[in-house]
Amino acid sequence: MGELEPDFSAFPFKPYSIQKDFMKSLYSFLNKGGVGMFESPTGTGKTLSIISSALQWVVDRKEQMKSETSRVLNNPKDQCVSDDEEPDWMKDFVLDNKKNLDGDKKKKDKKLGFGGKVLGEKKSCRDLFNDNEGVELGEKVKKKSEIKVELSEEEEFLVEEYESDDENGDGVRLKRKAGGNSSSDDDDEEDGLEEEEEEDLKVYFCSRTHSQLSQFVKELRRTVFATQLNVVSLGSRKNMCINEEVLKLNNSARINERCLELQKNKNSSVSKVKVQADGGRIRRTKASAGCPMLRKHKLQKQFKTEASEQDALDIEDLVLLGNKIGTCPYYGSRKMTPAADLVVLPYQSLLFKCARESLGLKLKNSIIIIDEAHNLADSLTSMYDSRISFSQLEKVHRHLELYFERFRNLLGAGNRRYIQTLMVLTRAFLKVLLGDKDSNLHSLGEKSSEQNVSDSSMAINDFLFLLDIDNINLVKLRHYIKESNIIHKVSGYGAKRVGFERGGDILNDSVSVVEGSTLSGFQAFVSILLSLTNNDGDGRIIISRRRHLNSVQKEDGFVKYVMLAGEKIFSEVVEQAHAVVLAGGTLQPIEETRERLFPWLLPDKLHFFSCGHIVPPESILPIAVSHGPSSMSFDFSYSSRTSPNMIEELGRLLCNLVTVVPEGMVVFFSSYEYEAQVHDAWKSSGTLTRIMKKKRLFREPRSNIDVDAFLREYKETVINLSGNHPKEGPVSQNGALLLAVVGGKISEGINFSDGMGRCVVMVGLPYPSPSDVELLERVKHIEGLGYSNTSNTPKLGVSNKLANGDAAQAGFSVLKSCNRRGREYYENLCMKAVNQSIGRVIRHAKDYAAILLVDSRYASYPSQMSFSHSANKLPKWIKDRLVSSTQNYGEVHRQLHQFFKFNKGRCNQ
């Protein structure tokens, strides 16, 4: 079967040659499948190119599969003839379609009672239970009545009896209460909404941020696919919840907890008669959700109908629709997923296994497109990190004690054993964070002469031995926690006890706050326990002791698991999907990504496509600025950047730049702390006043909530203060200056096209802090990749413990000890951040901007750590045009003046 000739007529404009090349390469890759990396600079129409090629491929294949399925069903003999000519994935699709058609009839027969048994056949009580189960049931009924007398209103907090499977097994089994309703939440949902038929060929598009997903849907609407395909957007509860009482919590974790809690607090006022297969009838109480936005199933049906009738909706549209109808858009959109051709969702919802399973996402034979994939390996592993603080542990341990003290005489042996095990674990964690002399923390690494040890790192098995908990079956314990609902029982009882201790007449919402806080701690603890079941080499445990900052303040200690190995996680996705596409503006170095995410894939089997920029050479001016106006050499390295002279020289540079750069200008700093330090120094010296005579000043807010309004004001200011006739402000002001932070909200996903960003200034090289123990563990892990056995792995000269005063120096020691991979990873982190930030300013073919890289290390080879030349890691379209050396600042100023004069004249023609 030959490849279909691709038709990209869905592209809404006449495509540039690089866009045609991109679409052809992606379409051809999807025919073969596998893993592909597609690199296209920001501003080159990457999103539209992905939509127009990938979705066209889907439309073409659906038509082809439809005709193939029809042919096979009408003439089965033809299948043998064509099998050898068709690729495996096409055979799977055709066979699956045939199975689905056959399966529909079987399901129908089963529902009608044709399951191979006589419909009128009845079973006796003896058939339903064996002798032992009958005895257990009788004892349970008796015990239940005794408990009712003793507990009264506290009965709701008593966990149901549990028994373990055989000691060699992994699970635990719940003994259901006699006469109880054993129907699951899924049963309730099935009553409310019929199951959608699952689409065989599905595209999942995921990106990092909510705004990037909305931008994707906006671009999708410019094509015919918005009406041709079924599209659904999935988001977090925080972004999609419309229950005002829940939204008041204003915290993602607490919103999730409260939502799930409301699903458990169901009203049992509705009942219905269910006809059994044997002809008997039972009256089943049908639970309705505790959340008012989910009580009416008809409204959920209406939501699905109205959403399906409209073109592709983004998360904001779905929230507006949910508010209009009065039903939950979060669960409404989830119900639309099975029938969708295209699912638009955040990274975590697809790549995090628990989230994927919770949403019921089926990846078999699917197309997965991961946008903004430049930091995919780190993003993926960080999803599996877990952390619990000392304060959370204290609260969890206290609530377990309260619960066990109250109910110990009413609990079965299984529950007592598991709850006591949880208390043993929390006590062991607390001991190690307190630095108890019996915890023997120092026995695992080198002896340290420092008394104040802050952070330690160790392997999972070492941690288990350190806490003396290596004999506990954490897998069975995890099953118990999941099946018993113990954390909600303990949290609920603890909240009630705290409420009475505070006065007895506490409001329900106050109890809810206490319960939510305890529940957060329990969930953090469960996440840590789950992490400890990973393989020993998959990650590291970080122990940070509680320490006093001064006489009043103290920093909470914590235990954290840091996942390091991403290849096993990613393989689960790759093995199921037909094709996985990693897309981004800058994906280099691809070898690092391959080694970390799919090392089993040979380099020649990885499809890689890269294209240049659509802007002409004269539209950008990248300059490595090595000296300031007073000829001081710029050095913003870790040890020099806080120098008052260096900060003042940077101020003089900005005072000059604001006189020559028109409209908007963005300056990126390495961190919020450093930006604040520079701002305060400029304010004291009067530099800020001189800058503000020429441009209005804006500073990036730390809170994400304020970003949209902040950017609107910045844009309006640039427009109003630019040109010959400013509408507001001093006549001498021309545009605005924005102080931003690398890695902040503005550095990714925000477009500074045209006048919003005529110049971007990158201050220094934003290397991550060398004192970050998590970073150092990643560096050491990556340094060891590619070695066949541990004996060949480089030995890095660093203690497992980093003392407060020597943390940065210990970090530099690790980096200097690296041969290649670890050191390159550290530099790649820096340069990927640089590339993301400076890529914000060129967004289309007629745009123009200057890019100033302010540090002598951009112009010369740094000698401090013998790293490779930083400029070599710039995107090709910038590196090829970089002015890598200037004699003095006067030369920089002259080139900027000529650049803006030329481009302003060109645009006015």
Side-chain angles (χ1 to χ4, degrees):
M1 181 183 68
E3 290 188 4
L4 296 176
E5 184 66 27
D7 172 21
F8 304 128
S9 57
F11 200 89
F13 314 108
K14 183 179 179 180
Y16 295 101
S17 60
I18 63 170
Q19 292 167 336
K20 288 181 182 178
D21 293 341
F22 184 103
M23 290 187 286
K24 287 180 181 178
S25 180
L26 178 53
Y27 193 99
S28 175
F29 162 72
L30 292 177
N31 279 326
K32 300 179 180 67
V35 179
M37 299 179 73
F38 290 79
E39 183 179 73
S40 182
T42 53
T44 56
K46 169 172 57 72
T47 302
L48 269 177
S49 297
I50 290 173
I51 291 169
S52 300
S53 53
L55 298 187
Q56 186 62 56
W57 186 89
V58 170
V59 170
D60 291 345
R61 286 310 175 273
K62 280 183 177 291
E63 285 297 318
Q64 188 176 359
M65 287 187 292
K66 186 177 178 181
S67 62
E68 288 290 329
T69 303
S70 176
R71 180 173 61 80
V72 170
L73 291 175
N74 292 332
N75 192 0
K77 292 182 180 180
D78 289 349
Q79 186 178 355
C80 299
V81 178
S82 62
D83 271 355
D84 293 337
E85 300 175 3
E86 292 179 352
D88 291 339
W89 68 265
M90 178 63 83
K91 294 178 197 174
D92 291 340
F93 273 129
V94 174
L95 290 173
D96 285 346
N97 282 348
K98 188 173 184 302
K99 286 177 184 176
N100 288 341
L101 291 172
D102 294 339
D104 287 343
K105 183 176 183 303
K106 289 179 181 177
K107 287 179 183 176
K108 202 170 192 179
D109 290 346
K110 189 174 181 181
K111 286 183 179 179
L112 293 174
F114 302 109
K117 294 185 180 181
V118 181
L119 282 176
E121 187 178 344
K122 293 185 179 180
K123 295 181 179 180
S124 66
C125 292
R126 188 172 296 176
D127 294 326
L128 294 175
F129 300 100
N130 61 31
D131 291 341
N132 289 336
E133 288 173 330
V135 172
E136 288 179 356
L137 178 61
E139 291 177 350
K140 181 187 288 185
V141 172
K142 181 180 178 181
K143 186 169 185 177
K144 180 182 175 185
S145 62
E146 294 172 353
I147 290 171
K148 273 192 172 182
V149 173
E150 186 174 347
L151 281 178
S152 63
E153 63 180 21
E154 292 182 353
E155 182 188 3
E156 61 177 301
F157 301 119
L158 183 64
V159 68
E160 295 182 17
E161 288 185 57
Y162 258 77
E163 65 177 7
S164 297
D165 289 341
D166 60 278
E167 287 305 314
N168 295 324
D170 290 335
V172 288
R173 185 154 51 91
L174 177 65
K175 294 181 178 178
R176 296 288 180 185
K177 292 181 180 178
N181 179 11
S182 63
S183 64
S184 66
D185 291 347
D186 293 336
D187 294 331
D188 296 327
E189 290 185 4
E190 187 179 336
D191 292 330
L193 290 173
E194 66 277 4
E195 284 296 320
E196 290 279 1
E197 184 179 344
E198 184 78 32
E199 277 295 320
D200 291 316
L201 178 54
K202 201 183 295 289
V203 178
Y204 294 97
F205 179 90
C206 58
S207 193
R208 290 168 58 84
T209 66
H210 171 74
S211 61
Q212 288 164 349
L213 295 175
S214 294
Q215 182 63 29
F216 174 83
V217 175
K218 183 179 178 182
E219 295 291 282
L220 178 66
R221 289 177 188 149
R222 302 169 79 173
T223 72
V224 296
F225 300 121
T227 55
Q228 284 186 356
L229 300 175
N230 293 324
V231 183
V232 63
S233 295
L234 301 179
S236 64
R237 286 181 173 87
K238 185 177 181 182
N239 285 324
M240 299 190 78
C241 178
I242 60 172
N243 184 331
E244 293 184 3
E245 291 301 315
V246 176
L247 281 176
K248 285 179 183 177
L249 298 172
N250 199 30
N251 175 278
S252 295
R254 293 185 62 192
I255 287 173
N256 288 339
E257 290 159 9
R258 183 58 180 155
C259 176
L260 294 172
E261 180 186 339
L262 286 173
Q263 307 316 307
K264 294 181 182 297
N265 296 339
K266 297 187 175 184
N267 301 321
S268 302
S269 58
V270 183
S271 63
K272 59 190 290 188
V273 173
K274 184 176 181 180
V275 180
Q276 294 181 299
D278 61 2
R281 297 184 174 211
I282 59 170
R283 180 168 293 277
R284 190 178 104 184
T285 299
K286 180 175 177 292
S288 62
C291 178
M293 298 302 163
L294 275 173
R295 284 179 188 156
K296 296 183 179 179
H297 294 304
K298 288 182 179 179
L299 295 184
Q300 283 278 290
K301 287 184 180 181
Q302 182 184 343
F303 177 90
K304 183 185 68 174
T305 301
E306 291 194 25
S308 301
E309 289 172 350
Q310 300 183 47
D311 291 350
L313 303 179
D314 63 14
I315 292 172
E316 287 84 358
D317 299 323
L318 292 169
V319 169
L320 288 173
L321 180 61
N323 274 313
K324 186 189 86 170
I325 297 174
T327 191
C328 176
Y330 174 78
Y331 281 103
S333 60
R334 283 178 56 164
K335 284 291 182 181
M336 295 169 62
T337 303
D341 302 296
L342 171 62
V343 181
V344 183
L345 71 171
Y347 266 22
Q348 186 147 347
S349 298
L350 181 85
L351 300 176
F352 189 46
K353 187 176 181 180
C354 291
R356 190 165 68 238
E357 291 176 347
S358 173
L359 292 169
L361 303 183
K362 298 178 181 178
L363 304 187
K364 184 181 179 184
N365 292 326
S366 62
I367 308 299
I368 296 173
I369 301 172
I370 303 172
D371 199 14
E372 299 297 330
H374 50 280
N375 284 327
L376 179 60
D378 285 336
S379 298
L380 182 64
T381 53
S382 66
M383 293 176 194
Y384 289 81
D385 291 352
S386 55
R387 180 183 186 276
I388 187 167
S389 69
F390 182 88
S391 301
Q392 287 176 313
L393 276 167
E394 276 190 318
K395 188 173 293 184
V396 168
H397 186 71
R398 176 58 181 152
H399 279 70
L400 283 169
E401 284 184 328
L402 287 173
Y403 186 87
F404 190 70
E405 179 186 343
R406 175 65 185 90
F407 296 107
R408 66 182 303 167
N409 294 329
L410 305 172
L411 294 169
N415 275 317
R416 282 200 302 270
R417 184 169 64 253
Y418 279 116
I419 294 171
Q420 285 175 314
T421 301
L422 287 171
M423 292 165 64
V424 167
L425 288 168
T426 52
R427 191 179 297 113
F429 275 64
L430 287 169
K431 277 179 66 175
V432 80
L433 285 179
L434 286 170
D436 190 295
K437 62 181 180 180
D438 295 329
S439 65
N440 198 24
L441 176 64
H442 298 297
S443 65
L444 290 173
E446 302 172 22
K447 294 289 183 181
S448 172
S449 59
E450 297 287 338
Q451 296 298 315
N452 189 8
V453 175
S454 57
D455 293 340
S456 309
S457 67
M458 62 188 68
I460 294 175
N461 288 345
D462 290 338
F463 180 75
L464 295 175
F465 284 117
L466 171 69
L467 271 62
D468 196 20
I469 56 174
D470 54 293
N471 59 332
I472 294 176
N473 189 327
L474 295 176
V475 176
K476 290 183 71 173
L477 183 62
R478 183 185 67 190
H479 277 287
Y480 169 76
I481 293 169
K482 180 180 178 181
E483 296 298 325
S484 68
N485 203 27
I486 183 66
I487 65 175
H488 287 88
K489 298 287 187 181
V490 175
S491 300
Y493 177 72
K496 196 161 190 173
R497 278 285 299 266
V498 171
F500 283 124
E501 289 171 5
R502 290 181 178 178
D505 194 24
I506 192 166
L507 297 175
N508 288 334
D509 58 346
S510 299
V511 172
S512 178
V513 168
V514 174
E515 184 174 359
S517 174
T518 307
L519 195 58
S520 296
F522 263 108
Q523 289 174 335
F525 187 56
V526 172
S527 294
I528 282 284
L529 297 183
L530 178 61
S531 298
L532 293 177
T533 62
N534 286 315
N535 292 333
D536 189 51
D538 286 352
R540 297 282 286 183
I541 298 292
I542 309 295
I543 300 174
S544 182
R545 300 260 189 89
R546 174 179 283 195
R547 46 185 174 261
H548 293 273
L549 303 178
N550 51 49
S551 57
V552 179
Q553 292 180 304
K554 58 184 175 183
E555 189 175 281
D556 209 4
F558 61 85
V559 175
K560 182 173 183 179
Y561 174 77
V562 180
M563 175 67 84
L564 300 175
E567 65 272 13
K568 294 176 185 176
I569 305 168
F570 200 64
S571 67
E572 295 175 356
V573 175
V574 174
E575 287 169 2
Q576 295 180 64
H578 165 62
V580 177
V581 176
L582 310 185
T586 307
L587 296 180
Q588 299 283 2
I590 62 170
E591 183 58 20
E592 178 197 302
T593 303
R594 189 192 69 80
E595 286 182 339
R596 295 184 63 192
L597 290 183
F598 28 89
W600 66 87
L601 194 66
L602 297 175
D604 60 344
K605 297 296 183 182
L606 173 64
H607 182 92
F608 180 73
F609 173 87
S610 181
C611 64
H613 212 296
I614 56 178
V615 297
E618 60 270 19
S619 293
I620 67 165
L621 178 63
I623 306 177
V625 182
S626 55
H627 292 83
S630 66
S631 299
M632 178 183 289
S633 177
F634 280 126
D635 178 11
F636 292 97
S637 60
Y638 187 76
S639 58
S640 303
R641 66 186 182 187
T642 56
S643 161
N645 291 335
M646 195 62 59
I647 292 174
E648 196 57 35
E649 185 73 357
L650 179 63
R652 282 191 283 269
L653 172 68
L654 265 294
C655 287
N656 281 275
L657 291 178
V658 294
T659 65
V660 69
V661 176
E663 303 177 280
M665 180 175 168
V666 185
V667 181
F668 281 103
F669 293 89
S670 57
S671 67
Y672 285 104
E673 290 74 21
Y674 186 55
E675 184 272 340
Q677 184 179 4
V678 171
H679 176 272
D680 293 346
W682 286 351
K683 187 175 181 180
S684 299
S685 66
T687 300
L688 216 54
T689 303
R690 296 198 297 274
I691 291 173
M692 292 173 67
K693 284 180 180 179
K694 291 295 181 183
K695 292 189 184 293
R696 182 172 296 181
L697 186 72
F698 289 82
R699 301 175 66 192
E700 177 179 348
R702 288 196 179 214
S703 171
N704 289 343
I705 299 173
D706 304 327
V707 168
D708 290 337
F710 167 81
L711 286 173
R712 278 196 302 271
E713 185 181 355
Y714 170 74
K715 185 175 182 179
E716 290 169 2
T717 301
V718 169
I719 294 171
N720 292 333
L721 293 183
S722 298
N724 297 323
H725 304 286
K727 300 176 183 178
E728 59 178 78
V731 177
S732 60
Q733 280 190 335
N734 178 18
L737 172 67
L738 169 57
L739 305 183
V741 175
V742 174
K745 181 76 172 179
I746 285 172
S747 68
E748 288 202 36
I750 304 296
N751 298 337
F752 288 97
S753 59
D754 301 316
M756 286 186 71
R758 288 301 180 205
C759 177
V760 58
V761 178
M762 174 59 62
V763 179
L765 285 140
Y767 286 107
S769 170
S771 60
D772 184 348
V773 65
E774 294 178 34
L775 170 67
L776 297 182
E777 289 300 336
R778 288 195 172 91
V779 167
K780 291 190 285 184
H781 173 76
I782 291 166
E783 177 66 14
L785 291 178
Y787 293 93
S788 58
N789 58 67
T790 54
S791 62
N792 293 330
T793 304
K795 300 294 186 272
L796 303 180
V798 65
S799 168
N800 275 348
K801 293 171 281 297
L802 302 178
N804 278 337
D806 295 327
Q809 191 57 48
F812 282 121
S813 297
V814 171
L815 294 167
K816 288 177 180 178
S817 301
C818 292
N819 293 328
R820 179 178 68 86
R821 286 184 173 90
R823 193 166 65 242
E824 280 195 358
Y825 167 71
Y826 184 67
E827 179 161 337
N828 290 340
L829 283 176
C830 168
M831 292 310 298
K832 285 178 182 179
V834 169
N835 295 337
Q836 279 297 304
S837 300
I838 63 180
R840 300 296 97 208
V841 293
I842 300 288
R843 309 304 301 178
H844 57 83
K846 295 183 179 179
D847 205 357
Y848 64 93
I851 299 170
L852 304 183
L853 305 171
V854 183
D855 198 299
S856 59
R857 290 173 292 176
Y858 285 110
S860 61
Y861 287 86
S863 58
Q864 181 185 3
M865 300 182 69
S866 301
F867 279 179
S868 62
H869 192 196
S870 301
N872 287 334
K873 295 184 182 294
L874 291 168
K876 190 174 186 301
W877 62 278
I878 293 179
K879 182 173 61 177
D880 290 348
R881 304 166 197 180
L882 178 67
V883 180
S884 59
S885 130
T886 52
Q887 297 299 317
N888 50 55
Y889 172 72
E891 187 179 341
V892 174
H893 197 91
R894 178 181 57 79
Q895 291 197 44
L896 286 170
H897 178 76
Q898 292 175 346
F899 173 78
F900 288 117
K901 182 180 179 180
F902 170 80
N903 279 284
K904 185 177 180 181
R906 182 168 63 91
C907 291
N908 291 334
Q909 291 177 357

